[in-house]
Amino acid sequence: MKAVDAVIRDRLHSDVVLVRQVAEYIISAGGKRMRPALVILAAQATGYQGSHHHELAAVVEFIHTATLLHDDVVDESSLRRGRQTANTLFGNAASVLVGDFLYSRAFQMMVGVGSMRIMEVLADATNVIAEGEVLQLMNCNNADIATENYLQVIRYKTAKLFEAAARLGGILGGASAELEDGLARYGMHLGTAFQLIDDVLDYSGDENETGKHLGDDLAEGKPTLPLLHAMHHGTAEHSAAVRRAIEQGDREELPAVLTAIRSTGALEETRRYAEIEAQSARDALSSLPPSIYRDSLLQFAAFAVDRRH
């Protein structure tokens, strides 16, 4: 990961000062670096011996960072990872344009790896992520969304990059089609579990640990699984409060919504969904030979569910 960070620093260079400032600000905020770590672990778990996994891990992080920059503008977010968002500090225009810079830099880097298969995987993933962003936008303030539609947004918007990261490692390691597909399934289920827990933490996390405001999703009118469960299994009063909050994007309803969530066991139910996804992720690695890298991938699945930030 130190080698990946070195690539990130090197590839962030631009002659345009503002590009460097915004990109450095968002990258230096840290984060879990799970997606680039997936590339590294999957590559090493399948026997890769070269150095392209460092470059591709940085590519995946750049794509992820670009989505964060654009997300925060769309969501009008003011806090991420415990710091002001780039759009709050530098403005929406700079955030959008630097996000575009990171996307295009990622594509420059993947061309340098010289694999049409890798370019295909990343191009497809980036397109699906964009579709997921639009789906989420369409679903905002819609209290009648079905659970399956909500899960589709997760698979597109979040899980797709996890899936691509794990698949890339398999491609680099020369994995069989069966093993490559297993790694991709692992990434998809891992990413889904990860996002489900994010949705839990939005209503239960410590702001100092999560680095974001409690109830941010509510303020944006996002109908996540805890809200859907509370609305469908609560009293008429609970359901009305949750519906009102989703349709109006109203943080003032947060106390009533938290009461509904606690009364219906919505967070526990969402965690149960996440645990099922994490187990599916572990099962997808059944054909991967034993190694310390495989062990780390299995530990990732546990971390995705057990984390507090």
Side-chain angles (χ1 to χ4, degrees):
M1 292 306 293
K2 286 181 179 178
V4 173
D5 282 345
V7 173
I8 287 172
R9 298 285 174 211
D10 179 61
R11 297 296 191 161
L12 276 180
H13 176 75
S14 167
D15 292 334
V16 180
V17 174
L18 185 58
V19 169
R20 290 201 306 271
Q21 286 178 330
V22 178
E24 175 69 24
Y25 180 79
I26 186 72
I27 289 287
S28 66
K32 302 171 193 67
R33 296 279 205 271
M34 285 188 71
R35 296 157 188 83
L38 272 183
V39 178
I40 300 293
L41 290 172
Q44 294 180 317
T46 50
Y48 182 65
Q49 299 295 319
S51 60
H52 283 321
H53 58 330
H54 298 147
E55 195 84 358
L56 289 179
V59 165
V60 167
E61 186 66 6
F62 279 2
I63 291 172
H64 174 55
T65 304
T67 66
L68 297 186
L69 283 164
H70 290 167
D71 263 2
D72 287 341
V73 171
V74 171
D75 297 338
E76 299 179 7
S77 301
S78 61
L79 192 70
R80 181 179 287 279
R81 296 170 181 166
R83 304 199 308 173
Q84 284 185 302
T85 53
N87 51 296
T88 300
L89 204 59
F90 299 99
N92 287 342
S95 290
V96 170
L97 295 173
V98 173
D100 292 344
F101 166 83
L102 289 173
Y103 269 131
S104 55
R105 178 54 51 88
F107 275 82
Q108 285 179 323
M109 292 164 67
M110 72 178 78
V111 168
V113 173
S115 166
M116 185 58 71
R117 175 79 174 114
I118 283 170
M119 288 183 64
E120 178 187 10
V121 168
L122 284 167
D124 287 349
T126 306
N127 193 250
V128 168
I129 292 166
E131 288 182 320
E133 298 281 3
V134 176
L135 276 176
Q136 180 171 270
L137 183 65
M138 291 169 62
N139 291 336
C140 276
N141 305 116
N142 179 9
D144 295 315
I145 181 178
T147 299
E148 187 50 46
N149 294 126
Y150 156 78
L151 291 172
Q152 183 186 20
V153 170
I154 288 181
R155 293 189 191 105
Y156 279 33
K157 183 175 177 288
T158 302
K160 190 64 182 180
L161 194 54
F162 280 83
E163 175 188 325
R167 186 184 291 278
L168 289 175
I171 292 170
L172 285 176
S176 66
E178 177 189 2
L179 184 50
E180 182 191 312
D181 285 344
L183 285 166
R185 286 197 310 279
Y186 164 84
M188 186 270 291
H189 289 298
L190 177 73
T192 303
F194 185 87
Q195 183 60 54
L196 285 166
I197 295 302
D198 257 13
D199 294 344
V200 167
L201 293 175
D202 195 60
Y203 295 101
S204 64
D206 182 323
E207 290 190 11
N208 292 323
E209 290 188 76
T210 62
K212 56 184 280 191
H213 296 303
L214 201 66
D216 271 354
D217 287 349
L218 190 68
E220 294 156 16
K222 292 179 182 176
T224 57
L225 190 57
L227 295 181
L228 296 176
H229 182 85
M231 189 168 58
H232 295 152
H233 295 86
T235 63
E237 185 180 355
H238 290 154
S239 297
V242 174
R243 174 175 289 276
R244 210 163 40 243
I246 292 173
E247 291 178 348
Q248 297 174 8
D250 190 354
R251 198 192 293 271
E252 290 182 8
E253 293 281 354
L254 183 59
V257 168
L258 288 176
T259 297
I261 284 173
R262 293 187 188 111
S263 300
T264 56
L267 298 185
E268 292 77 8
E269 181 65 11
T270 304
R271 281 191 177 276
R272 188 182 70 81
Y273 264 86
E275 285 164 2
I276 291 170
E277 290 291 333
Q279 185 56 52
S280 295
R282 287 188 284 268
D283 292 344
L285 297 181
S286 59
S287 59
L288 190 65
S291 69
I292 58 171
Y293 309 112
R294 181 178 183 272
D295 292 344
S296 292
L297 290 170
L298 292 171
Q299 288 167 13
F300 254 15
F303 169 74
V305 175
D306 295 338
R307 66 196 175 90
R308 296 183 179 275
H309 63 285

